């Protein structure tokens, strides 16, 4: 008999596209699917096909706790093909409660998780033997806390008894219920936030009175924010003024020290001004003790030939300015005769 080769899909090697949806017939591989133990899977056998691990859940408000659980399931074995089952809205609302995200949104959230290779839509609430055989599931991964639901104390009890259960660890501090609790607890804050972002009161299911109250609170908050901004700016301005005043005081102190130093250098005990005063005092004392000779006892000075004559006295200037008397007739005739004699001599 010819041995058939395994044609099971292999884990994703690239992350450029989202994970595929499971077909109705799921794995089309015709080769016999032998039962594996956990030890065999940890050793990396079989080598001709991946280990098919199944993890299911609601995955409402997909968060880091969900992603960490899927990461653990993906890394259980060296060659893991992770299949994730997502329950429909009908089953979830029946057994657990209302969800924030609808089933199509939850399907897409899982498809875009990097650890997921395949997504099963409308997954069963309780795993049956036929479902495990149809999808050729080797192991089921979930946290080890008993999950009581649908009239059962633990919906994974028969999987654990069959040796197909592999536990994962829950992430403390994060869960869908915790996120919803935060929203409900701070409902007014989120309602005001969405009103401010343009949502209507009808979309938020808010009454007319509450809408007006929220809008008034938003206005009050904006005013408080403006006041806070002004206070911060004023504090910054005061800080700058203090910084400038400190610099000015420091410069004033430096200049004052310089002024005092210069003053002491001039007028101090050993200053320049004292030395000048002492020199002048000494000259005055020496002059008083040995005075110069009087002008009367000094010999008369002779006029130098190059020295210009002294200007005439006022009386001399007055006598020279007086008009001379007219000459007498005798004198005039004598002068005329002398002039005529002179002319004849020249001829």
């Amino acid at each position: 008999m010819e041995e058939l080769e395994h044609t099971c899909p292999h884990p994703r090697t690239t992350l450029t596209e989202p994970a595929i949806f499971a077909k109705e017939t799921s794995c089309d591989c015709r080769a016999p699917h032998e039962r594996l133990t956990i030890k065999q899977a940890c050793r990396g056998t079989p080598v001709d096909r991946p280990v098919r691990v199944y993890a299911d859940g609601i995955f409402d408000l997909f968060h880091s706790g969900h992603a960490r659980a899927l990461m653990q399931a993906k890394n259980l074995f060296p060659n893991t093909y992770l299949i994730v089952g997502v329950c429909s809205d009908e089953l979830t609302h029946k057994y657990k409660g209302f969800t924030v995200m609808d089933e199509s949104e939850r399907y897409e959230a899982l498809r875009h998780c990097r650890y997921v290779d395949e997504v099963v839509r409308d997954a069963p609430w309780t795993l049956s033997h036929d479902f495990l055989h149809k999808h050729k599931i080797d192991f089921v991964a979930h946290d080890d806390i008993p999950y009581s639901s649908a009239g059962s104390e633990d919906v994974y009890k028969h999987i654990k008894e069959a040796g197909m259960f592999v536990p994962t660890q829950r992430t403390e501090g994060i869960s869908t219920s915790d996120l919803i609790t935060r929203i409900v607890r701070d409902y007014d804050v989120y309602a005001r936030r969405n009103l401010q972002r343009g949502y209507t009161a009808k979309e938020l299911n808010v009454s007319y009175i509450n809408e007006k109250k929220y809008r008034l609170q938003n206005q009050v908050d904006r005013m408080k924010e403006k006041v806070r901004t002004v206070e911060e700016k004023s504090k910054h301005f005061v800080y700058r003024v203090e910084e400038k005043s400190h610099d000015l005081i420091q410069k004033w102190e430096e200049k004052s020290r310089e002024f005092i130093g210069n003053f002491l250098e001039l007028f101090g005990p050993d200053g320049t001004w004292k030395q000048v005063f002492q020199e002048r005092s000494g000259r005055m004392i020496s002059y008083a003790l040995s005075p110069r000779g009087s002008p009367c006892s000094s010999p008369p000075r002779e006029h130098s030939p190059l020295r210009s004559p002294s200007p005439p006295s006022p009386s001399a200037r007055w006598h020279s300015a007086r008009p001379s008397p007219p000459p007498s007739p005798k004198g005039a005739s004598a002068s005329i005769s002398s002039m005529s004699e002179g002319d004849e001599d020249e001829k």
Side-chain angles (χ1 to χ4, degrees):
M1 184 176 178
E2 185 180 357
E3 186 175 351
L4 298 175
E5 294 183 358
H6 285 281
T7 58
C8 296
H10 289 270
R12 288 194 295 166
T13 56
T14 61
L15 299 177
T16 56
E17 295 181 358
I20 62 173
F21 284 120
K23 300 179 180 178
E24 292 296 330
T25 57
S26 188
C27 184
D28 296 331
C29 180
R30 301 294 180 181
H33 199 81
E34 298 178 356
R35 177 80 177 275
L36 295 178
T37 63
I38 294 178
K39 290 183 179 181
Q40 290 175 330
C42 289
R43 287 199 301 266
T45 56
V47 295
D48 55 350
R49 70 172 181 85
V51 179
R52 296 172 67 85
V53 177
Y54 179 82
D56 60 355
I58 310 302
F59 301 106
D60 190 22
L61 297 176
F62 189 80
H63 52 74
S64 61
H66 295 141
R68 286 175 62 86
L70 297 177
M71 179 186 69
Q72 295 177 56
K74 179 69 174 179
N75 291 283
L76 286 172
F77 308 110
N79 187 21
T80 301
Y81 185 83
L82 182 59
I83 307 167
V84 179
V86 183
C87 300
S88 64
D89 288 344
E90 182 181 357
L91 282 178
T92 305
H93 298 169
K94 179 180 179 180
Y95 292 112
K96 192 168 185 178
F98 192 75
T99 58
V100 177
M101 302 168 65
D102 60 34
E103 59 186 25
S104 61
E105 293 172 335
R106 294 185 282 117
Y107 296 155
E108 288 298 321
L110 268 298
R111 286 187 67 200
H112 291 82
C113 178
R114 62 181 299 181
Y115 308 113
V116 179
D117 297 302
E118 186 176 321
V119 175
V120 177
R121 291 172 288 190
D122 193 13
W125 197 261
T126 303
L127 301 179
S128 62
H129 176 76
D130 294 339
F131 179 84
L132 297 175
H133 180 72
K134 173 183 175 181
H135 293 277
K136 294 181 171 56
I137 295 171
D138 294 310
F139 300 100
V140 176
H142 200 273
D143 62 81
D144 201 16
I145 302 174
Y147 194 86
S148 58
S149 180
S152 175
E153 295 181 358
D154 188 3
V155 295
Y156 297 105
K157 183 178 179 180
H158 62 291
I159 304 296
K160 294 176 181 178
E161 293 174 350
M164 297 175 63
F165 186 85
V166 183
T168 58
Q169 299 296 321
R170 291 178 65 90
T171 302
E172 298 296 332
I174 183 69
S175 67
T176 301
S177 300
D178 180 57
L179 294 177
I180 294 174
T181 300
R182 297 182 201 175
I183 296 172
V184 173
R185 180 186 59 202
D186 300 325
Y187 170 77
D188 289 350
V189 175
Y190 294 112
R192 289 167 52 193
R193 169 183 178 270
N194 283 6
L195 279 173
Q196 192 172 3
R197 295 194 174 190
Y199 287 88
T200 64
K202 184 177 180 180
E203 290 174 329
L204 297 174
N205 196 24
V206 174
S207 66
Y208 177 82
I209 296 176
N210 285 336
E211 178 190 5
K212 297 303 179 184
K213 181 182 72 173
Y214 294 150
R215 293 192 183 280
L216 179 60
Q217 289 175 343
N218 288 336
Q219 292 179 359
V220 171
D221 289 345
R222 284 194 294 268
M223 290 298 297
K224 289 181 179 179
E225 186 65 26
K226 288 182 180 180
V227 171
R228 191 179 301 111
T229 303
V230 172
E231 288 179 352
E232 291 178 357
K233 289 183 178 180
S234 61
K235 288 179 181 178
H236 180 66
F237 176 75
V238 170
Y239 173 76
R240 289 183 61 186
V241 170
E242 289 179 352
E243 187 177 8
K244 290 291 184 181
S245 62
H246 178 73
D247 294 341
L248 291 174
I249 291 172
Q250 186 175 3
K251 290 180 180 179
W252 182 83
E253 289 178 351
E254 293 176 357
K255 291 296 182 181
S256 62
R257 284 195 294 268
E258 182 179 355
F259 175 78
I260 293 171
N262 294 335
F263 183 83
L264 292 176
E265 185 177 355
L266 286 173
F267 303 103
D270 299 325
T272 306
W273 186 257
K274 182 178 180 181
Q275 296 177 2
V276 173
F277 180 75
Q278 290 177 351
E279 290 178 359
R280 290 191 176 183
S281 299
R283 286 200 298 269
M284 291 177 67
I285 293 172
S286 63
Y287 178 78
L289 294 177
S290 58
R292 294 181 181 181
S294 63
C296 297
S297 62
S298 61
R301 292 181 296 175
E302 295 181 356
H303 292 287
S304 174
L306 298 179
R307 186 178 182 88
S308 60
S310 59
S313 62
S315 60
R317 286 200 301 269
W318 181 78
H319 288 292
S320 63
R322 291 179 60 187
S324 61
S328 62
K330 293 181 178 181
S333 60
S335 62
I336 293 172
S337 62
S338 63
M339 288 176 62
S340 61
E341 289 176 357
D343 290 339
E344 290 178 357
D345 292 337
E346 288 180 358
K347 291 179 180 179

